[in-house]
Amino acid sequence: ILHTVLATALFRCWHTLVFFSAWSVLITVLNHQGHALSFQPTLLTVIGTVLGFVISYRTTSSFERYNEGRQLWSQIILASRNFARTVWFHVPGTCIFAIIMISWADFGPDHPSTERICSEEMKSRSMIEKKTAINLLEAYAVAVKHYLRGEDEIYYKDLYYLVKFLPRYALPAGIPPAQNLASHGGEYAHHSPSSSEGQGLFLYQRTGPEPGPQLPLPATAFSSQRTTFREPTMERITSRGQEKIILPRADEDFLIPAYAPPKHHLYDILPFPFSLLARAFTPRGKKVAGRRAARVRMRENPVTHNIPLEISLYLSSYISSLQTRGIGDVSTVNALLTSLEQLVDALTGLERILTTPIPFSYSFHLWAVTTIYCLTLPFQIYSTLNWLTIPGTIIASFIFFGFLAAGEEIENPFGYDKNDLNLDHFTYNIIRNELHAVTSIPPPDPTQWAFAPENDLVFGVAPALDGGVIERVTPGEWIKRGSADIENSLSVLGGAEG
């Protein structure tokens, strides 16, 4: 019951209803005591009709953003399924590449071990490569989830293990501008392990000075609460001349949980316009706790590392590698490229929703007009309703402010509110589980499942229409009978259905 109440607009506007309840009681009592505080409801119909249309448009535009966000996540799920199926079933092994690149180099082209390496070692290499590429699909979805929630870096339990082995990709630097560093007290420069000047974006911690002993917090977290390492030690690995810093296993226990919603705060229950204090007290709400301030940070202080985009580049490098090595035909490569384009297209659409809020002037004016309308409502309806003015004002306020609160909540459907999209369900219960199911067994061989003895209704899948029983014949028996009997059975089956 509590969860249901928290998911309704009543939880977001109950304080407003309390205020207008007290206001309507005051006006009703004063009128009842003889004070002439009522006037003709001339403006009630005109302004009420216009206000209703405007609020309806506001709610509809918010729902369109919500619905578009859901459609784009469906596109990510579809592209992940297609990419994983194509890789696992249609990308062959790399035996030819193995003979040229490994067998000749190690043993020579005529060495008797060449065939064994092709069938065993390279089969394992191919499966590892394909499984890693499919794992990056899960990493992509998880990275998109954290990216939309303003949770920077890779230090999350559902993301770190999927991408920690990837080297840096030479993208432009994602360090915040100098004015942002100054306004936040140098937080990124002193606490984030990714801080180092002049380095490009990459999935590990960046190379450079020794990082501090603290994990970077997401943008949705309150900056005064920090998770720390037991020891500020880091493991350094050098690959192709680039030094990379990876968390030691002892510090992996301090990774941020996959689901880490900010706690509610006083600013979350303050009515409008007092809720603006979450943005006004400190620049961009950086030092204000609560979910309302977290939404401000998500919109105005976007993450500095576009991890999903970088993962897409690694997926693209995998496809390019298939082309270079001549593995897979043109249609297979085109299918992979199409799926990858769908992933990037969905990311771009989600970014557009995230970074295009409803204009503040429009929202403020709508809230202000609705407040003025509800304030004048008891004066206009008292002459007709008398004491019923109180419940009438409360109901009208709930209708108007309920729609406004609902529209404000769903305009950014990627956070932790009750009515936001369940991104963890998309990434874990759908994408992760399905990808694991696809790769749980080798690609099935049709010579095994098509000719299984249990497939004894291959030319008939239901009882006969005349009440008789269809003859059950195994595939092996049909092979013995020959193609003529198969064709005759098909014609009989087609005539019975016709």
Side-chain angles (χ1 to χ4, degrees):
I1 297 177
L2 178 61
H3 178 81
T4 303
V5 173
L6 294 177
T8 62
L10 180 63
F11 172 73
R12 298 179 62 87
C13 65
W14 67 268
H15 36 69
T16 305
L17 300 182
V18 171
F19 171 78
F20 283 104
S21 299
W23 176 255
S24 61
V25 169
L26 175 63
I27 301 303
T28 302
V29 171
L30 291 177
N31 276 284
H32 184 71
Q33 292 179 351
H35 300 278
L37 298 178
S38 62
F39 49 86
Q40 293 297 323
T42 306
L43 298 178
L44 183 63
T45 304
V46 178
I47 298 180
T49 302
V50 175
L51 185 62
F53 278 115
V54 174
I55 292 178
S56 175
Y57 173 77
R58 169 69 170 87
T59 307
T60 301
S61 62
S62 296
F63 181 77
E64 289 177 353
R65 295 161 60 92
Y66 185 94
N67 187 51
E68 184 180 4
R70 181 61 182 91
Q71 291 177 353
L72 292 173
W73 268 100
S74 296
Q75 182 173 326
I76 291 178
I77 295 173
L78 173 63
S80 299
R81 290 169 174 171
N82 291 338
F83 195 104
R85 187 191 68 250
T86 304
V87 168
W88 196 246
F89 286 87
H90 299 284
V91 174
T94 55
C95 291
I96 298 177
F97 175 77
I99 295 175
I100 297 176
M101 300 300 296
I102 294 182
S103 300
W104 289 9
D106 296 340
F107 306 103
D110 300 327
H111 195 277
S113 299
T114 297
E115 183 177 356
R116 179 181 61 83
I117 294 177
C118 177
S119 60
E120 295 179 7
E121 178 180 344
M122 292 313 301
K123 181 180 179 180
S124 300
R125 286 176 175 269
S126 177
M127 293 183 66
I128 292 173
E129 184 180 84
K130 293 196 292 185
K131 177 59 177 174
T132 302
I134 293 176
N135 286 346
L136 287 184
L137 294 174
E138 178 187 351
Y140 183 88
V142 173
V144 170
K145 177 192 72 171
H146 291 297
Y147 180 72
L148 296 176
R149 289 175 173 173
E151 298 169 343
D152 203 2
E153 291 289 355
I154 66 170
Y155 304 101
Y156 299 90
K157 292 182 178 180
D158 59 344
L159 178 61
Y160 176 73
Y161 303 104
L162 295 173
V163 298
K164 68 185 182 69
F165 57 90
L166 295 176
R168 180 182 65 184
Y169 203 94
L171 289 180
I175 301 177
Q179 59 269 25
N180 289 348
L181 293 176
S183 62
H184 301 326
E187 176 181 350
Y188 288 95
H190 297 298
H191 298 298
S192 175
S194 64
S195 299
S196 78
E197 299 179 357
Q199 298 294 331
L201 170 64
F202 91 115
L203 295 177
Y204 290 110
Q205 300 180 41
R206 304 185 185 202
T207 60
E210 184 72 18
Q214 294 177 320
L215 285 173
L217 285 189
T220 54
F222 184 35
S223 60
S224 64
Q225 301 173 355
R226 296 191 171 276
T227 304
T228 59
F229 293 139
R230 287 192 296 263
E231 297 178 359
T233 58
M234 296 290 172
E235 179 182 359
R236 296 179 178 269
I237 298 178
T238 302
S239 175
R240 297 183 180 180
Q242 293 180 341
E243 188 180 45
K244 305 166 187 176
I245 306 174
I246 306 177
L247 300 180
R249 290 191 177 183
D251 289 335
E252 291 179 357
D253 295 335
F254 295 92
L255 291 172
I256 303 174
Y259 183 82
K263 296 181 179 180
H264 288 286
H265 192 265
L266 177 63
Y267 296 107
D268 297 330
I269 62 175
L270 287 176
F272 188 90
F274 299 103
S275 58
L276 296 179
L277 296 176
R279 183 186 305 177
F281 274 177
T282 55
R284 302 193 176 190
K286 191 62 182 179
K287 297 182 180 179
V288 179
R291 299 195 176 188
R292 189 185 299 274
R295 287 195 297 271
V296 173
R297 288 191 290 272
M298 290 167 59
R299 181 173 63 250
E300 299 186 358
N301 187 37
V303 297
T304 59
H305 298 169
N306 196 333
I307 304 299
L309 180 60
E310 187 167 353
I311 294 176
S312 71
L313 298 180
Y314 281 99
L315 291 172
S316 184
S317 69
Y318 171 71
I319 301 175
S320 176
S321 176
L322 296 181
Q323 293 176 304
T324 302
R325 293 180 287 176
I327 302 173
D329 52 19
V330 176
S331 59
T332 299
V333 173
N334 288 341
L336 294 176
L337 289 174
T338 300
S339 299
L340 182 58
E341 289 175 0
Q342 290 178 329
L343 291 174
V344 178
D345 178 72
L347 173 63
T348 305
L350 293 171
E351 286 177 329
R352 174 171 47 80
I353 297 175
L354 180 67
T355 58
T356 311
I358 301 297
F360 174 76
S361 60
Y362 176 80
S363 299
F364 180 86
H365 186 73
L366 186 55
W367 277 89
V369 172
T370 305
T371 301
I372 294 174
Y373 179 83
C374 291
L375 286 175
T376 59
L377 186 61
F379 298 98
Q380 301 180 69
I381 64 177
Y382 175 79
S383 59
T384 303
L385 300 181
N386 293 325
W387 287 103
L388 292 178
T389 298
I390 299 174
T393 303
I394 296 174
I395 294 174
S397 300
F398 175 69
I399 293 174
F400 288 119
F401 285 100
F403 278 117
L404 288 178
E408 182 184 275
E409 179 179 0
I410 66 176
E411 70 177 359
N412 180 8
F414 309 125
Y416 291 102
D417 290 329
K418 299 295 182 179
N419 294 300
D420 286 338
L421 295 174
N422 193 347
L423 305 187
D424 294 274
H425 172 70
F426 298 155
T427 58
Y428 187 84
N429 295 338
I430 297 181
I431 295 178
R432 179 179 184 272
N433 290 346
E434 289 185 356
L435 294 183
H436 287 189
V438 169
T439 59
S440 60
I441 58 175
D445 186 357
T447 60
Q448 297 180 0
W449 53 263
F451 296 93
E454 293 78 9
N455 188 21
D456 53 6
L457 289 175
V458 61
F459 299 116
V461 295
L465 298 178
D466 58 359
V469 178
I470 294 180
E471 182 183 11
R472 296 177 180 268
V473 182
T474 63
E477 183 117 5
W478 280 115
I479 293 176
K480 293 179 181 179
R481 293 185 181 184
S483 59
D485 284 354
I486 294 177
E487 294 175 354
N488 182 54
S489 177
L490 289 173
S491 62
V492 172
L493 181 63
E497 293 180 352

